[in-house]
Amino acid sequence: SAVKQSGFALQHAHPQLRADKRFVLEAVKQSANALQAASEDLRADKALVLEAVRLKGQTLHYASDDLRGNKDVVLEAVKEDGYALQDASEELQADQDVVLEAVKQEGYTLVFASTALRSDWEIVLQAVMQNGIALTAASEELLADKDLAILAARCCHSREDAREVYEVHARVVAAVPWERFILACTTTIAVRGQRAPLLSVLLSKKSDSSGERWFCKATMLSGNTFTCEVPGKSSP
């Protein structure tokens, strides 16, 4: 059928077919965006919507309000595409598990998180590790953290993004001049000898008599790994 060849054909199908679950499922398998043309009832069908968001997270936009507030569905969506967080319910934009998965996939999706989670150290740290520009969406308290700003600048995808992180940081705290700020970033990189892109980052914390200490273990695309203490995070 035409639907098996192109999921987009569903938009031209008879309403009865757009309400037929088996027919729509075939369309979604060809193109997740076919969910847009499904009947209202099928856009509220959890199994069908799960199929779509696993293929393309942002098809969460076409799901029913109830399913955009369903944690199972939204988790699958943000794992595939962090930007699906923008279509999640307000309740799930305030859910730590959901937001953590979103920022691991794309750091800048922190901008869609609740105010409380944009003040959450662990969430923000994961976000800036994935993409340093995410710090610009963090709370003013975390924006003022010099060490976090340097870490974010190091994780930016471009020098222009690093400059934006610096400028936002400088608006909320008396910052050192840009030249000294970027030197601190590059010096840290040079000392650790890590300039290649990160493949993954694993956060952990250790507790002792002095409080909590946070560490990150980073795996580079080269396969090399390094572990370092995350600056600026302790709780006596």
Side-chain angles (χ1 to χ4, degrees), residues 155-222:
C155 294
C156 281
H157 296 173
S158 69
R159 188 180 178 88
E160 291 74 19
D161 283 355
R163 180 70 190 228
E164 185 174 347
V165 164
Y166 167 78
E167 290 177 352
V168 174
H169 168 65
R171 286 188 206 125
V172 298
V173 69
V176 299
W178 162 250
E179 292 75 13
R180 286 179 59 193
F181 178 83
I182 199 65
L183 179 62
C185 299
T186 55
T187 300
T188 304
I189 294 170
V191 168
R192 291 177 181 156
Q194 303 296 336
R195 188 59 179 169
L198 292 177
L199 181 62
S200 65
V201 175
L202 177 65
L203 294 175
S204 61
K205 66 179 176 180
K206 296 181 180 179
S207 300
D208 55 31
S209 58
S210 62
E212 292 179 348
R213 300 170 64 196
W214 287 72
F215 297 83
C216 73
K217 180 178 180 180
T219 303
M220 318 304 289
L221 290 176
S222 64

Side-chain angles (χ1 to χ4, degrees), residues 84-228:
L85 183 63
Q86 65 187 308
D87 289 309
S89 66
E90 283 189 25
E91 180 182 356
L92 291 183
Q93 288 175 341
D95 184 283
Q96 190 172 36
D97 295 333
V98 169
V99 174
L100 195 56
E101 286 297 336
V103 299
K104 282 180 181 178
Q105 209 281 332
E106 171 47 63
Y108 191 65
T109 59
L110 180 67
V111 72
F112 304 117
S114 67
T115 301
L117 291 186
R118 285 188 276 116
S119 300
D120 183 287
W121 174 271
E122 184 178 0
I123 294 286
V124 174
L125 186 59
Q126 282 284 7
V128 301
M129 285 287 195
Q130 200 285 323
N131 188 348
I133 195 67
L135 186 63
T136 61
S139 67
E140 193 165 295
E141 177 187 0
L142 293 183
L143 275 171
D145 188 309
K146 176 186 173 183
D147 291 325
L148 189 57
I150 289 175
L151 183 65
R154 289 179 56 227
C155 294
C156 281
H157 296 173
S158 69
R159 188 180 178 88
E160 291 74 19
D161 283 355
R163 180 70 190 228
E164 185 174 347
V165 164
Y166 167 78
E167 290 177 352
V168 174
H169 168 65
R171 286 188 206 125
V172 298
V173 69
V176 299
W178 162 250
E179 292 75 13
R180 286 179 59 193
F181 178 83
I182 199 65
L183 179 62
C185 299
T186 55
T187 300
T188 304
I189 294 170
V191 168
R192 291 177 181 156
Q194 303 296 336
R195 188 59 179 169
L198 292 177
L199 181 62
S200 65
V201 175
L202 177 65
L203 294 175
S204 61
K205 66 179 176 180
K206 296 181 180 179
S207 300
D208 55 31
S209 58
S210 62
E212 292 179 348
R213 300 170 64 196
W214 287 72
F215 297 83
C216 73
K217 180 178 180 180
T219 303
M220 318 304 289
L221 290 176
S222 64
N224 296 328
T225 62
F226 73 92
T227 302
C228 62

Side-chain angles (χ1 to χ4, degrees), residues 46 50 65-75 89 92:
K46 183 177 178 180
L50 276 171
D65 289 346
D66 283 347
L67 290 184
R68 283 190 273 120
N70 182 284
K71 188 170 179 175
D72 293 337
V73 171
V74 174
L75 272 173
S89 66
L92 291 183

